[in-house]
C-alpha cells in the first residue's frame, strides 16, 4: 500500500510540474506583453500589459539603430565612413562578427552586422563612431529616450548584452519603433534575410523570419534571451497605413511571429487614418469689439491624422468659441478649441487661433477713421 501511495504521489507531482508556467510568460498566455500602434499618429490601438516593466535584452539595439540613423541624416556619418574597431568592441561576448582591434569596417557593414546578425561588437563599434565612447553613447540613448517620451525605459549599454537595470515596456518600444519608421535608410538593412561581410567570409542570417514572407514589411528586430524570452518588433506599410507591433516575453519562437502578424493584419484590416478638415461654415470670422476691424478670421492649429476604426461613425467636431473677443487681438492668439469625437469617443482637440492681429481702436484712430470717411 505504501509503495502504491508513493507511486501515486510521484505521478501527481510530475503532472503539477508539467503544467507549471515557464518563466517569461504568464500562465496560459503565449507572451508577456504586446502593442499595436499606427506609426504616423503614434496612437496605441491594441495592447496587453503594455506598461509592464520587462527586461529589454537585445531590443536595446533599436535605439542604437535610431541614433546611428540620425547621425547619417545629419551628415556626421555616412554609410561609407570607415570605423576602426576598438578593444572594447572586440571584447563583447555573445553574438558577434568577430571584429579584431584595429580592423576597419564601414558604417553600412556594421549596420548589417548589428541589424541582420544581431552582433554586439558591431553595436559597440557604431556607438563609438556616433558618440566617441560607449559610455557617452548610453547617456545619449537615455537622453533621446526621454525626448521621445520613453519614461519607463533605461538603457545601460548599446547592445543589450548588459541586463542589469536595463528595462523597458512594450508601449515604450512601440513609440521607439514608430520613430524608426521615419528613417528609410534603415529599411534595406532591416528587410534583408541573408548576406555576407568580408567578401563571403562572414555569413549573416536575420532572426526576423517575417522578412521572407510578410507583405509590406519595413523591418525592425527579433531577439531572444534567457531573461527576455522571444521578442519581436515589426513594422509594415500597405498603402498609406503604417503599423507597428511589439511582442515581448514569448515562450516559443513561433508565437512572436504569429502574434505580430495577427496584430499587423488587425491594423490594416480594421483601422484607417483620417485628417479632420474645416470648411468655411465651421470657422466663420469672430466678432471683435473696440478693434480697428470688426472681425478676425479663425484658423485651426496642429491638425494631424487620427487613426479610427473602419466602417464606424464619421468624425464629429465640437467648436468652443466665444460670441466675441475684445481688442487688441494678436496673430496666433488662442480664441477657442475644436474637439473631435467618433461617436461618444473623444479623440483629441486643437486650438483655434486668430489668423491676424487686430489693434484696439483708440480715440485718435477713431478720429482718423471718421475724417477719412468724411473725405470720401
Amino acid at each position: 500500500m505504501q509503495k502504491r501511495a508513493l507511486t501515486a504521489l510521484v505521478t501527481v507531482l510530475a503532472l503539477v510540474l508539467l503544467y507549471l508556467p515557464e518563466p517569461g510568460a504568464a500562465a496560459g498566455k503565449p507572451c508577456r506583453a504586446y502593442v499595436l500602434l499606427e506609426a504616423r499618429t503614434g496612437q496605441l490601438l491594441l495592447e496587453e500589459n503594455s506598461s509592464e516593466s520587462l527586461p529589454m535584452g537585445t531590443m536595446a539595439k533599436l535605439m542604437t539603430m535610431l541614433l546611428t540613423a540620425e547621425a547619417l541624416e545629419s551628415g556626421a556619418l555616412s554609410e561609407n565612413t570607415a570605423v576602426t574597431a576598438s578593444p572594447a568592441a572586440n571584447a563583447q561576448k555573445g553574438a558577434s562578427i568577430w571584429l579584431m582591434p584595429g580592423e576597419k569596417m564601414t558604417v553600412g557593414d556594421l549596420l548589417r552586422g548589428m541589424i541582420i546578425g544581431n552582433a554586439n561588437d558591431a553595436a559597440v563599434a557604431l556607438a563609438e563612431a556616433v558618440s566617441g565612447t560607449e559610455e557617452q553613447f548610453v547617456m545619449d540613448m537615455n537622453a533621446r529616450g526621454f525626448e521621445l517620451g520613453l519614461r519607463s525605459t533605461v538603457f545601460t549599454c548599446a547592445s543589450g548584452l548588459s541586463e542589469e537595470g536595463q528595462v523597458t515596456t512594450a508601449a515604450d518600444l512601440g513609440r521607439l519603433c514608430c520613430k524608426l519608421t521615419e528613417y528609410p535608410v534603415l529599411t534595406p538593412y532591416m528587410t534583408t534575410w541573408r548576406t555576407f561581410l568580408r567578401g563571403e567570409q562572414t555569413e549573416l542570417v536575420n532572426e526576423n523570419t517575417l522578412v521572407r514572407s510578410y507583405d509590406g514589411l519595413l523591418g525592425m528586430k527579433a531577439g531572444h534571451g534567457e531573461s527576455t524570452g522571444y521578442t519581436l518588433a515589426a513594422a509594415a506599410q500597405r498603402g498609406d497605413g503604417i503599423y507597428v507591433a511589439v511582442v515581448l516575453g514569448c515562450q516559443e519562437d513561433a508565437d512572436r511571429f504569429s502574434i505580430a502578424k495577427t496584430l499587423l493584419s488587425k491594423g490594416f484590416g480594421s483601422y484607417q487614418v483620417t485628417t479632420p478638415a474645416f470648411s468655411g461654415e465651421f470657422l466663420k470670422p469672430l466678432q471683435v469689439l473696440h478693434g480697428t476691424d470688426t472681425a478676425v478670421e479663425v484658423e485651426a492649429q496642429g491638425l494631424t491624422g487620427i487613426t479610427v476604426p473602419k466602417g464606424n461613425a464619421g468624425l464629429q467636431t465640437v467648436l468652443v468659441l466665444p460670441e466675441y473677443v475684445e481688442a487688441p487681438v494678436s496673430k496666433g492668439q488662442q480664441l477657442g478649441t475644436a474637439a473631435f469625437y467618433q461617436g461618444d469617443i473623444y479623440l483629441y482637440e486643437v486650438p483655434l487661433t486668430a489668423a491676424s492681429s487686430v489693434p484696439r481702436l483708440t480715440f485718435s484712430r477713431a478720429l482718423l477713421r471718421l475724417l477719412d470717411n468724411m473725405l470720401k
Side-chain angles (χ1 to χ4, degrees):
M1 291 293 293
Q2 289 181 342
K3 184 177 180 180
R4 188 176 298 172
L6 181 60
T7 301
L9 179 60
V10 170
T11 301
V12 170
L13 287 174
L15 288 171
V16 169
L17 290 172
L18 179 63
Y19 289 103
L20 280 177
E22 295 182 27
K29 293 186 178 181
C31 70
R32 290 283 298 273
Y34 66 74
V35 291
L36 173 70
L37 300 95
E38 199 287 317
R40 290 171 300 172
T41 63
Q43 283 179 247
L44 180 62
L45 304 174
L46 298 171
E47 64 88 23
E48 178 75 24
N49 298 328
S50 63
S51 60
E52 180 182 356
S53 181
L54 295 170
M56 190 186 317
T58 189
M59 303 305 271
K61 291 185 177 76
L62 291 168
M63 180 58 83
T64 302
M65 289 161 55
L66 176 62
L67 292 184
T68 304
E70 291 179 340
L72 291 172
E73 184 179 64
S74 71
L77 296 174
S78 78
E79 292 173 88
N80 294 319
T81 299
V83 177
T84 302
S86 69
N90 168 259
Q92 295 300 300
K93 298 178 181 179
S96 72
I97 52 174
W98 302 283
L99 286 173
M100 299 303 295
E103 180 180 4
K104 292 185 181 295
M105 190 169 284
T106 65
V107 167
D109 281 348
L110 290 171
L111 279 170
R112 285 198 288 159
M114 179 182 70
I115 295 172
I116 304 167
N118 195 30
N120 298 320
D121 52 355
V124 171
L126 286 169
E128 292 173 339
V130 172
S131 300
T133 66
E134 186 181 12
E135 290 75 16
Q136 179 59 51
F137 187 77
V138 170
M139 289 191 282
D140 295 339
M141 292 171 83
N142 285 300
R144 191 69 180 99
F146 186 83
E147 291 171 354
L148 293 174
L150 313 186
R151 296 295 187 262
S152 300
T153 296
V154 178
F155 297 99
T156 60
C157 68
S159 65
L161 184 62
S162 171
E163 295 183 351
E164 186 175 353
Q166 188 155 253
V167 294
T168 190
T169 65
D172 275 5
L173 286 182
R175 295 184 190 99
L176 175 55
C177 289
C178 287
K179 189 65 180 177
L180 281 168
T181 64
E182 299 177 14
Y183 295 88
V185 67
L186 296 174
T187 304
Y189 300 102
M190 295 190 294
T191 54
T192 297
W193 164 242
R194 180 172 175 263
T195 190
F196 295 88
L197 297 175
R198 305 181 180 99
E200 292 192 358
Q201 295 181 39
T202 307
E203 182 183 23
L204 304 174
V205 179
N206 201 327
E207 186 176 342
N208 183 4
T209 59
L210 293 185
V211 302
R212 304 180 71 182
S213 60
Y214 196 82
D215 179 32
L217 190 76
L218 299 176
M220 298 297 154
K221 176 136 192 54
H224 67 276
E226 186 175 344
S227 65
T228 62
Y230 291 96
T231 59
L232 177 67
Q237 179 174 10
R238 295 177 187 171
D240 293 332
I242 303 176
Y243 293 91
V244 166
V246 175
V247 184
L248 301 180
C250 288
Q251 296 180 27
E252 303 293 336
D253 182 9
D255 285 342
R256 54 181 168 170
F257 299 111
S258 62
I259 295 170
K261 286 192 289 186
T262 298
L263 290 169
L264 292 173
S265 296
K266 183 74 172 177
F268 291 119
S270 302
Y271 295 93
Q272 63 183 358
V273 177
T274 182
T275 302
F278 284 98
S279 62
E281 64 187 73
F282 280 101
L283 291 180
K284 295 178 180 179
L286 183 64
Q287 182 183 3
V288 178
L289 299 183
H290 311 124
T292 56
D293 292 313
T294 59
V296 63
E297 296 286 341
V298 179
E299 57 188 12
Q301 299 293 328
L303 282 176
T304 60
I306 306 172
T307 308
V308 296
K310 291 181 178 179
N312 285 13
L315 297 183
Q316 290 83 47
T317 306
V318 176
L319 300 183
V320 179
L321 279 170
E323 291 184 13
Y324 60 87
V325 63
E326 286 268 0
V329 176
S330 301
K331 181 178 180 179
Q333 176 182 329
Q334 183 168 343
L335 304 174
T337 60
F340 303 99
Y341 294 81
Q342 188 173 47
D344 294 330
I345 301 174
Y346 167 81
L347 298 172
Y348 81 125
E349 68 179 37
V350 297
L352 299 176
T353 62
S356 59
S357 296
V358 180
R360 188 173 179 82
L361 184 61
T362 61
F363 175 78
S364 58
R365 284 179 179 269
L367 182 59
L368 287 173
R369 178 178 292 180
L370 178 61
L371 292 173
D372 184 57
N373 289 335
M374 290 175 62
L375 294 174
K376 287 182 179 179

